[in-house]
Amino acid sequence: MVDTVSLTSLLKNPDVAHTFSGADVPDDDLLHDCVHCGMCLPTCPTYRLTGQEASSPRGRLWLMKSVTEGRLDLLDPEFDEQMYQCLNCRACEAVCPSGVQYGPLVEASRAQLEQHRPRPLWQRAGRKVGMEWPFADIRRFRALVSTIRLYQRSGLASFARKTGILRVLRLETLEAMVPPIQEKPLVSGTESWTPQHAERTVHLFNGCIMSTVFAGTNRAAGRVLAHNGCSCDVPAGQQCCGALQIHSGMMDEARRLARINIDSFERFGTDPVIVTAAGCGAALKEYGHLLKDDPAYHDRAEAFSHRVKDVSEYLAANPVQPPRNAEPVTVTYQEPCHLAHAQRITEQPRDLLRKVPGLNLVEMRESSLCCGSAGIYNVIRREMADELGDRKAGNIIDTKAEQVVTANPGCAMQLRTSLKRNGSSMPVRHVVDVLDAAYGGEAAARSGTWAIDRERSSVS
Ligand code: SF4
Ligand code: SF4
């Protein structure tokens, strides 16, 4: 039974002045799919932490419906609070017997808030500097990460930590979240991996964080794909996928990036587009929905989305070369929400890990419960993100595993920070990093099984 007492108390303003209007209105038909059964409630992290109906998927859908029907003002602060307290983890969607498409509904609700709700100057400035500017052009993002890399390697990082300046500038958490950046960025259009006898061709989606902070993982994916008979390149001209923008209600900017990516990959034929980040993969697979009202791009977006495959999804669907090198280690697997719930990919990463000789895979409790990363949630909603991160770290530590494996950069950073806060320095790895090591890594690649071409194109 819906807790209507706490929800109806929100309907305090009978003179509703603002309702959904303009672009990106939550689809009324999708809202009516909810039959209020409550089956989604136990899977929802915010409901589990708060026990409040308004903080549950059913409660939030009820709030959206109330705005649609003119019973709740769009600008009511509680509506804003609930739309952004949600992690958009989509665990509710995966268990819903009515097939409610919760993700598109909460994303459209946020887009409505950003169109109609006046934000204070500091919030608008924060969005411009933190969200719009760095992600609008991959070259900018790359320059930013290269500066962070220099900061980490120059000794400035330990100086800043010792002096406490990071605390004064409120950058302590953000700084702690970025792992040591080991490799130089992977610039799209400059590297490819080609086996001697290529059976298939694939194109790597490079991403913003994956091509910079986790460039080594993208290169590992290229090597693993080549080891499995794929000629793999990284098409030039691609940009950030737009997932962070979609989650923050910045739909026009997300559409701009989507059009650039579609154009870039169309130039390279119709082969599969391989993704190493669960969040990017989920966004790329939904370009058709994002561009549904754009007659010039809708069909092309649908065609592009059909090409998109998570790296573990693609590898597991084809014959996989058995890895030779033993990895005698116990690992546990953390399911990224946008892989397990949005893309429904759960078994493939586990199956791939089990192929590694000597590797012992143990399951943690609540492996599919959100770790609290959720895009930039762990930056803007620290309290709840930390609570989820601590819970996740506890579950991981309880397995007594030596390493934790995941498939999304946001999760990797959140897991590392949460484990550290809970006294563990357990390594966090990507599925393809584990496979790459078991195939012999870059050394094996260079020994002649396949060629690595770093000069194929100089266009970025
Ligand atoms: S499981 Fe689906 S139908 Fe049931 S309350 Fe949740 S969203 Fe509504
Ligand atoms: S997306 Fe996640 S946090 Fe949001 S309502 Fe659904 S289960 Fe809860």
Side-chain angles (χ1 to χ4, degrees):
M1 186 64 196
V2 182
D3 176 8
T4 46
V5 178
S6 58
L7 281 173
T8 48
S9 66
L10 293 172
L11 308 182
K12 48 187 175 265
N13 180 4
D15 303 318
V16 169
H18 307 91
T19 186
F20 296 137
S21 61
D24 300 302
V25 168
D27 189 323
D28 210 21
D29 290 341
L30 294 187
L31 275 173
H32 280 90
D33 285 342
C34 177
V35 295
H36 315 292
C37 66
M39 284 179 71
C40 52
L41 268 62
T43 68
C44 175
T46 54
Y47 180 74
R48 279 165 82 153
L49 292 186
T50 65
Q52 300 290 315
E53 176 71 21
S55 297
S56 76
R58 182 173 63 184
R60 291 188 179 112
L61 289 164
W62 191 85
L63 292 175
M64 292 174 205
K65 225 164 138 198
S66 300
V67 175
T68 302
E69 292 168 0
R71 290 181 285 121
L72 178 68
D73 199 305
L74 168 63
L75 304 191
D76 190 297
E78 184 61 16
F79 184 71
D80 192 353
E81 164 62 21
Q82 283 307 333
M83 292 309 111
Y84 279 101
Q85 188 196 77
C86 168
L87 295 130
N88 199 10
C89 70
R90 298 170 71 167
C92 48
E93 225 180 279
V95 297
C96 175
S98 294
V100 172
Q101 292 177 41
Y102 182 86
L105 286 168
V106 76
E107 286 155 10
S109 297
R110 290 177 184 178
Q112 286 290 311
L113 284 165
E114 296 321 313
Q115 280 175 54
H116 301 293
R117 190 167 163 79
R119 299 282 184 202
L121 181 65
W122 66 267
Q123 264 186 25
R124 279 182 280 139
R127 273 186 163 242
K128 275 250 174 276
V129 177
M131 286 288 300
E132 265 185 63
W133 187 85
F135 296 100
D137 186 328
I138 190 66
R139 285 170 298 191
R140 235 179 253 172
F141 192 78
R142 221 164 31 228
L144 185 68
V145 175
S146 296
T147 310
I148 296 172
R149 188 166 176 242
L150 192 67
Y151 159 84
Q152 288 181 342
R153 295 157 81 97
S154 65
L156 210 60
S158 46
F159 174 77
R161 280 175 212 141
K162 269 186 214 142
T163 56
I165 184 130
L166 293 167
R167 205 170 19 255
V168 176
L169 296 172
R170 295 173 157 224
L171 290 172
E172 207 177 19
T173 316
L174 204 57
E175 198 256 5
M177 232 177 254
V178 184
I181 303 167
Q182 310 283 5
E183 293 200 18
K184 66 180 174 57
L186 172 56
V187 179
S188 301
T190 62
E191 297 182 36
S192 61
W193 298 265
T194 312
Q196 280 172 356
H197 305 289
E199 293 154 24
R200 287 162 275 140
T201 300
V202 297
H203 307 294
L204 190 69
F205 182 79
N206 212 5
C208 50
I209 297 175
M210 288 308 298
S211 68
T212 51
V213 179
F214 295 96
T217 297
N218 269 5
R219 289 191 177 97
R223 289 191 291 268
V224 168
L225 286 159
H227 200 95
N228 284 285
C230 297
S231 174
C232 175
D233 64 4
V234 193
Q238 53 177 302
Q239 289 285 340
C240 165
C241 66
L244 289 177
Q245 292 80 355
I246 294 168
H247 295 179
S248 310
M250 297 159 61
M251 302 304 238
D252 285 340
E253 178 60 5
R255 281 189 272 266
R256 184 184 72 81
L257 294 166
R259 290 185 190 103
I260 295 174
N261 286 327
I262 292 167
D263 290 346
S264 302
F265 280 87
E266 275 181 351
R267 284 199 287 272
F268 289 79
T270 57
D271 303 300
V273 176
I274 307 298
V275 191
T276 51
C280 302
L284 297 170
K285 284 182 178 179
E286 291 176 0
Y287 272 4
H289 174 77
L290 182 66
L291 293 166
K292 65 182 186 317
D293 298 323
D294 182 337
Y297 272 87
H298 175 253
D299 290 351
R300 292 164 62 193
E302 289 281 3
F304 171 80
S305 292
H306 280 116
R307 294 169 62 191
V308 175
K309 304 277 175 245
D310 181 78
V311 63
S312 60
E313 177 186 19
Y314 182 78
L315 286 167
N318 291 286
V320 178
Q321 288 288 327
R324 296 246 170 85
N325 293 357
E327 284 256 331
V329 66
T330 298
V331 306
T332 188
Y333 174 64
Q334 154 62 20
E335 307 201 70
C337 296
H338 282 82
L339 200 61
H341 309 314
Q343 300 184 60
R344 315 283 162 93
I345 295 170
T346 55
E347 284 312 305
Q348 295 92 325
R350 292 179 165 93
D351 289 346
L352 291 169
L353 290 172
R354 286 193 196 100
K355 289 189 189 300
V356 176
L359 186 143
N360 178 29
L361 175 64
V362 292
E363 291 294 333
M364 70 174 87
R365 277 192 311 275
E366 304 178 330
S367 69
S368 64
L369 186 76
C370 182
C371 62
S373 164
I376 55 164
Y377 195 94
N378 52 355
V379 179
I380 58 173
R381 295 224 159 217
R382 285 274 311 284
E383 212 176 301
M384 210 169 260
D386 282 358
E387 219 174 313
L388 287 166
D390 289 343
R391 183 171 175 144
K392 182 64 66 182
N395 286 338
I396 292 170
I397 292 166
D398 284 351
T399 63
K400 303 209 171 8
E402 296 154 89
Q403 300 180 359
V404 56
V405 181
T406 190
N408 190 53
C411 305
M413 293 196 276
Q414 171 77 347
L415 294 178
R416 185 177 162 272
T417 317
S418 305
L419 283 163
K420 210 167 161 190
R421 199 172 48 243
N422 286 273
S424 168
S425 55
M426 190 185 294
V428 182
R429 299 170 80 191
H430 192 288
V431 178
V432 291
D433 285 325
V434 178
L435 276 179
D436 181 47
Y439 285 136
E442 196 174 358
R446 288 192 176 286
S447 70
T449 315
W450 59 82
I452 297 179
D453 174 5
R454 292 181 186 275
E455 305 295 334
R456 200 182 53 78
S457 163
S458 58
V459 188
S460 66

